[in-house]
């Protein structure tokens, strides 16, 4: 009798215990390098399509906020806009691994927070530019097996350093194969029967489809080199713009570009094909990761995220290749996620950015909010991923976050890789603001460049290929619109925390307090802000402009600041890092054979096959003992972006 009654009760308690002590989900985060969302690259990735997009949620309005590898990765790992990390380029003085370390940001970023949430953390692949044989390993990861410079873009000459150990040369293998085999091996060990019962976070960061050294196309595995014959870069309406007048309406170096000739077009198309071929290797990583998790019965307990660091263009606006521009091809990113509770087989149009990813991962990991760092500029996307239709609707904006406003920024030089026609441009600094059209509202792209404060305005609804610069000859209405966008840019270009999430609120409060306007007022959208009674307020605000073109972020070059305290630019949460050096790796080069690796046999190689071909770098190759690394923070190497 007693037993009969207490059994369901005991089971109920067990259930409650089960819920409260449930192990948080595992997370596999796969990040390719320089992959476009707008040129169709995802259409060539069968497993990303079937196993992630088809089994999860595709974010069609996900954006990068800085279109360059190292700053984008720092933003992902810290949950902050680049103007707050101050990791703004691939090398010094703007950014690079030594600066991330020197600034102390490496003491307070993603893996530490996930450790607090009880996770085992691992990183495999490309971390940040400037990580070399002599660099101390990144902190926080249980396992950090990182590609080192100067081998990062040498796809058939793989050298990696695991934790603080001596770098290892994997002679005879293609980089993407090495990363795949290592990732699967790690997953095997995390899920082995005798493994620690901890959730894991595994980040896999292949370099493909990034260009090889010198601006030449990426190098795919040998088995993929002949895929997609005859495929050329898509001739989008903004591809190789024929109209000189349209072209000259653009800004900085782009406006003066000539029409790409036949040779340049061929180089650009060859790059496009090589990228698709290289991505087949990345797709195999997805295939094997999913297969292993399925085999272990863990597919339903694991989040799998697929994205990239920044986008890419090939021929748009006459630029034969590259990234770093504020136009849609470089900032709208592939982003797909599957996992427990995530909407399945759907597309979400809710705007989001890479700044939001760190808080989202902590939300998935179940780290209590009082243990989150105080400096996040974004929001957790988890509720939106679980319920995209609701958050996309007019009623969904329960938290007042101004999701449609996207801040994009850049400092310093840009490269336009096109094989032997590669060009390099010094002055590519700009501040950019995008209003993503949602619920039938307006959509705009507004840019201000360091080159004489040139301004661009595109109506992204009527002109989605961003061809007609409306800032050149604005009529009265356009002028009023530009006053609003200019005011928003003044806030977003140096926002921090809440002001990044709600820039209209900053302006609306200032408006309420301003003597220009009598009654108190409230606007939360562009439509509301366009009311003519706010004209005097918006006209009274200063405009943002650069004093000059600099390759890094200097506050005195980028004023004014609104509100004034935003001039702090995240300095409260990091150390000054003005003194750090990049050491050129002066060891001798570990040479591989000249042949192309990654034949069909290596598609199914084992971890043992990989290990059999591995050897430690010699002292001479590392640059020892000639390099005495007295101050480990200063060690690193310079390389391509
Ligand atoms: C750009 O704008 C800033 C701020 O208004 C101003 O100080 C600077 O002189 C402008 N530069 C040029 C070249 O007009
Ligand atoms: C960003 O870094 C540059 C280069 O090291 C430095 O001069 C500048 O003061 C830094 N800016 C901020 C806001 O920390
Ligand atoms: C490497 O750099 C060190 C320090 O700058 C220098 O003393 C040494 O001669 C260099 N070695 C080689 C092989 O270039």
């Amino acid at each position: 009798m007693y037993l009969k009654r207490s059994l369901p009760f005991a089971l109920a308690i067990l259930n409650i215990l089960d819920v409260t002590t449930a192990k948080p989900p595992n997370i596999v985060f796969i990040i390719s390098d320089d992959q476009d969302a707008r040129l169709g690259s995802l259409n060539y990735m069968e497993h990303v399509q079937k196993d992630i997009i088809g089994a999860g949620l595709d974010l069609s309005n996900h954006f990068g906020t800085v279109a360059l590898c190292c700053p984008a990765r720092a933003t992902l790992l810290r949950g902050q806009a680049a103007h707050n990390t101050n990791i703004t380029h691939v090398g010094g003085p703007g950014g690079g691994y030594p600066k991330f370390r020197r600034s102390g940001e490496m003491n307070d970023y993603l893996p530490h927070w996930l450790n607090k949430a009880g996770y085992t953390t691992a990183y495999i692949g490309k971390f940040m530019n400037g990580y070399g044989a002599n660099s101390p390993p990144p902190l926080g990861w249980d396992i950090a097996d990182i590609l080192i410079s100067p081998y990062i873009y040498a796809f058939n000459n793989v050298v990696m350093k695991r934790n603080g150990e001596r770098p290892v040369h994997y002679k005879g293998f293609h980089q993407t194969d090495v990363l795949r085999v290592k990732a699967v091996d790690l997953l095997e060990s995390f899920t082995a029967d005798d493994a620690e019962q901890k959730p894991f976070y595994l980040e896999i960061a292949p370099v493909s489809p990034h260009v090889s050294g010198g601006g030449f196309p990426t190098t795919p595995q040998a088995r993929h080199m002949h895929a997609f014959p005859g495929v050329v870069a898509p001739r989008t309406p903004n591809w190789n713009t024929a109209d000189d007048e349209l072209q000259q309406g653009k800004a900085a170096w782009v406006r003066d570009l000539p029409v790409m000739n036949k040779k340049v077009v061929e180089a650009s198309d060859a790059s496009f094909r090589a990228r698709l071929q290289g991505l087949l290797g990345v797709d195999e990583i997805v295939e094997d990761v999913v297969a292993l998790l399925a085999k272990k019965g863990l597919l339903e307990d694991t989040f799998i995220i697929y994205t990239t660091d920044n986008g890419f263009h090939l021929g748009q606006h006459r630029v034969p290749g590259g990234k770093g521009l504020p136009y849609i091809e470089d900032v709208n990113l592939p982003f797909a996620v599957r996992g427990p509770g995530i909407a399945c087989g759907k597309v979400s149009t809710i705007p989001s950015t890479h700044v939001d990813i760190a808080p989202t991962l902590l939300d998935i990991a179940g780290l209590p909010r009082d243990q989150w760092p105080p400096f996040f500029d974004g929001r957790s996307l988890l509720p939106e991923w679980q319920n995209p239709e609701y958050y996309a609707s007019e009623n969904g904006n329960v938290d007042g976050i101004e999701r449609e406003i996207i801040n994009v920024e850049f400092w310093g030089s840009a490269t336009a890789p096109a094989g032997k026609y590669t060009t390099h441009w010094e002055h590519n600094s700009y501040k950019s603001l995008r209003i993503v059209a949602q619920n039938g509202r307006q959509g705009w792209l507004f840019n201000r460049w360091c080159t004489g404060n040139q301004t661009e305005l595109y109506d992204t609804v009527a002109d989605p290929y961003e061809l007609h610069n409306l800032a050149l000859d604005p009529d009265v209405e356009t002028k009023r619109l530009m006053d609003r966008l200019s005011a928003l840019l003044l806030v977003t270009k140096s926002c921090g925390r809440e002001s990044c999430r709600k820039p209209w609120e900053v302006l609306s409060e200032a408006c309420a307090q301003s003597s220009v306007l009598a009654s108190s007022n409230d606007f939360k959208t562009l439509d509301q802000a366009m009311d003519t009674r706010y004209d005097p307020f918006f006209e009274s605000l200063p405009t943002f402009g650069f004093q000059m073109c600099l390759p890094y972020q200097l506050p005195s070059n980028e004023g004014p600041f609104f509100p004034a305290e935003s001039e702090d630019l995240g300095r409260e949460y990091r150390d000054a890092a003005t003194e750090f050096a990049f050491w050129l790796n002066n060891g001798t080069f570990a040479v591989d054979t000249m042949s192309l690796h990654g034949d069909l046999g290596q598609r199914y190689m084992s971890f043992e096959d990989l290990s059999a071909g591995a050897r430690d770098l010699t002292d001479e190759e590392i640059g020892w003992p000639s390099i005495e690394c007295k101050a480990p923070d200063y060690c690193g190497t310079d390389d391509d972006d």
Side-chain angles (χ1 to χ4, degrees):
M1 182 71 181
Y2 177 74
L3 253 179
K4 253 186 201 158
R5 281 180 46 185
S6 66
L7 196 58
F9 180 66
L11 280 177
I13 288 199
L14 265 178
N15 274 335
I16 290 166
L17 282 178
D18 205 42
V19 168
T20 50
T21 61
K23 196 169 97 172
N26 307 308
I27 305 170
V28 179
F29 192 94
I30 303 171
I31 177 169
S32 65
D33 195 329
D34 286 1
Q35 188 175 356
D36 61 273
R38 290 293 179 125
L39 306 180
S41 63
L42 284 171
N43 298 336
Y44 296 83
M45 301 184 79
E46 183 192 337
H47 294 281
V48 172
Q49 288 294 342
K50 181 163 71 72
D51 297 329
I52 306 185
I53 295 177
L57 186 66
D58 186 8
L59 306 189
S60 65
N61 275 323
H62 189 78
F63 290 86
T65 59
V66 52
L68 192 62
C69 306
C70 183
R73 285 157 198 256
T75 281
L76 278 165
L77 291 166
R78 279 273 286 193
Q80 287 181 297
H83 61 250
N84 289 330
T85 64
N86 203 24
I87 304 296
T88 57
H89 215 277
V90 295
Y97 179 74
K99 189 175 185 182
F100 189 65
R101 191 179 168 83
R102 185 77 175 156
S103 66
E105 290 174 71
M106 209 169 48
N107 303 324
D108 198 4
Y109 75 127
L110 186 66
H112 299 296
W113 308 326
L114 289 170
N115 285 338
K116 255 198 273 180
Y119 276 68
T120 298
T121 55
Y123 196 106
I124 298 183
K126 174 179 169 184
F127 191 67
M128 280 180 199
N129 305 79
Y131 184 69
N134 288 301
S135 306
L139 301 176
W141 305 96
D142 293 303
I143 293 156
D145 203 353
I146 311 281
L147 290 159
I148 65 166
S149 189
Y151 307 93
I152 296 178
Y153 306 109
F155 290 88
N156 286 304
N157 195 357
V158 188
V159 182
M160 296 180 75
K161 191 161 84 149
R162 183 174 154 124
N163 300 342
E165 295 154 23
R166 183 177 278 260
V168 174
H169 189 208
Y170 297 91
K171 190 171 173 177
F173 298 105
H174 186 282
Q175 189 191 79
T176 313
D177 283 332
V178 175
L179 300 186
R180 189 190 71 249
V181 169
K182 280 177 174 255
V184 170
D185 179 66
L186 267 187
L187 284 175
E188 284 278 7
S189 72
F190 291 157
T191 58
D193 291 338
D194 58 354
E196 245 184 305
Q197 290 305 304
K198 283 168 78 176
F200 58 82
Y201 175 88
L202 171 63
E203 184 153 344
I204 309 169
V207 181
S208 182
H210 191 287
V211 292
S212 304
F216 285 89
T218 194
T219 315
Q221 285 124 313
R223 61 184 177 276
H224 297 315
M225 297 217 55
H226 305 290
F228 314 124
V231 170
V232 297
R235 275 35 176 173
T236 52
N238 56 1
W239 182 84
N240 206 11
T241 321
D243 185 331
D244 285 335
E245 207 180 318
L246 281 187
Q247 188 71 22
Q248 280 151 23
K250 306 209 92 62
W253 55 276
V254 178
R255 75 185 294 271
D256 300 319
L257 291 177
V259 170
M260 300 188 296
N261 65 28
K262 196 161 165 286
K263 289 248 157 37
V264 176
V265 169
E266 276 168 14
S268 178
D269 285 341
S271 180
F272 181 73
R273 251 185 330 271
R275 288 165 56 81
L276 300 183
Q277 295 161 353
L279 284 168
L280 288 177
V282 178
D283 202 41
E284 290 167 349
I285 295 180
V286 173
E287 180 182 7
D288 288 9
V289 163
V290 170
L292 183 103
L293 291 169
K295 189 179 87 185
K296 301 274 180 164
L298 289 173
L299 212 42
E300 306 315 318
D301 305 323
T302 304
F303 274 79
I304 308 178
I305 293 172
Y306 186 85
T307 189
T308 190
D309 47 4
N310 52 256
F312 209 76
H313 53 260
L314 279 158
Q316 283 65 42
H317 311 294
R318 299 185 183 175
V319 190
K323 56 210 173 186
L325 291 171
Y327 309 119
I328 192 72
E329 294 80 9
D330 291 9
V331 295
N332 182 207
L333 307 182
F335 199 106
V337 53
R338 67 172 288 165
I342 299 307
C344 181
K346 292 193 174 144
V347 177
S348 166
T349 58
I350 306 168
S352 57
T353 75
H354 269 4
V355 173
D356 302 319
I357 299 310
T360 306
L361 294 172
L362 297 196
D363 211 1
I364 293 171
L367 188 69
R369 297 236 169 184
D370 59 7
Q371 293 181 45
W372 289 21
F375 50 70
F376 283 154
D377 293 331
R379 64 182 189 274
S380 166
L381 303 174
L382 187 58
E384 299 167 27
W385 292 355
Q386 290 163 334
N387 208 345
E389 277 108 355
Y390 172 70
Y391 281 93
S393 74
E394 282 289 353
N395 300 328
N397 192 7
V398 281
D399 43 21
I401 292 175
E402 296 158 8
R403 292 175 168 73
E404 71 280 11
I405 299 172
I406 308 286
N407 159 63
V408 175
E409 47 202 354
F410 203 91
W411 294 261
S413 62
T415 301
K420 61 180 173 176
Y421 308 102
T422 296
T423 51
H424 188 75
W425 306 90
E426 283 308 319
H427 300 316
N428 194 64
S429 301
Y430 58 80
K431 311 279 180 195
S432 170
L433 167 75
R434 210 170 253 287
I435 302 216
V436 181
Q438 278 279 287
N439 298 316
R441 294 209 192 109
Q442 323 171 42
W444 302 98
L445 167 62
F446 185 69
N447 305 325
R448 184 149 297 140
W449 293 77
C450 70
T451 43
N453 296 329
Q454 285 167 317
T455 302
E456 291 177 282
L457 172 69
Y458 299 95
D459 178 340
T460 55
V461 176
D463 176 25
Y465 292 93
E466 300 164 353
L467 284 162
H468 301 269
N469 181 4
L470 304 173
L472 294 175
D473 186 19
D475 57 20
V476 177
E477 268 310 284
T478 309
K479 182 84 193 39
R480 291 182 61 244
L481 170 68
M482 284 170 64
D483 284 346
R484 271 61 174 180
L485 296 178
S486 174
L488 259 191
L489 187 69
L490 192 60
V491 177
T492 54
K493 60 102 179 156
S494 39
C495 68
R497 308 162 64 185
E498 201 64 0
S499 64
C500 290
R501 292 180 281 265
K502 300 178 181 177
W504 281 126
E505 195 171 285
V506 174
L507 292 165
S508 179
E509 275 166 17
C511 179
Q513 282 162 22
S514 95
S515 55
V516 179
L517 218 66
S519 58
S520 91
N521 293 282
D522 197 16
F523 43 85
K524 294 194 173 85
T525 65
L526 180 58
D527 289 333
Q528 291 165 1
M530 282 302 286
D531 196 307
T532 49
R533 68 197 162 118
Y534 303 129
D535 284 358
F537 169 70
F538 285 109
E539 280 163 15
S540 76
L541 291 175
T543 54
F544 156 73
F546 291 90
Q547 298 306 311
M548 59 180 124
C549 286
L550 282 179
Y552 52 90
Q553 176 182 232
L554 195 64
S556 59
N557 190 43
E558 303 185 1
F561 291 88
F562 191 90
E565 62 268 23
S566 69
E567 190 171 354
D568 179 64
L569 295 163
R571 277 175 290 195
E572 192 185 333
Y573 306 111
R574 55 180 165 84
D575 300 331
T578 42
E579 280 178 37
F580 61 92
F582 278 76
W583 281 36
L584 287 175
N585 186 337
N586 69 351
T588 57
F589 198 69
V591 186
D592 205 307
T593 57
M594 293 303 285
S595 62
L596 299 172
H597 305 314
D599 61 18
L600 205 53
Q602 291 184 342
R603 168 67 184 91
Y604 298 103
M605 69 176 176
S606 65
F607 188 72
E608 287 65 38
D609 297 334
L610 177 66
S611 309
R615 69 158 178 90
D616 286 356
L617 286 197
T618 63
D619 284 4
E620 207 189 3
E621 287 163 338
I622 296 174
W624 290 342
S626 63
I627 290 181
E628 231 182 285
C629 194
K630 288 200 174 112
D633 287 2
Y634 291 176
C635 294
T637 54
D638 215 347
D639 56 13
D640 274 358
D641 54 27

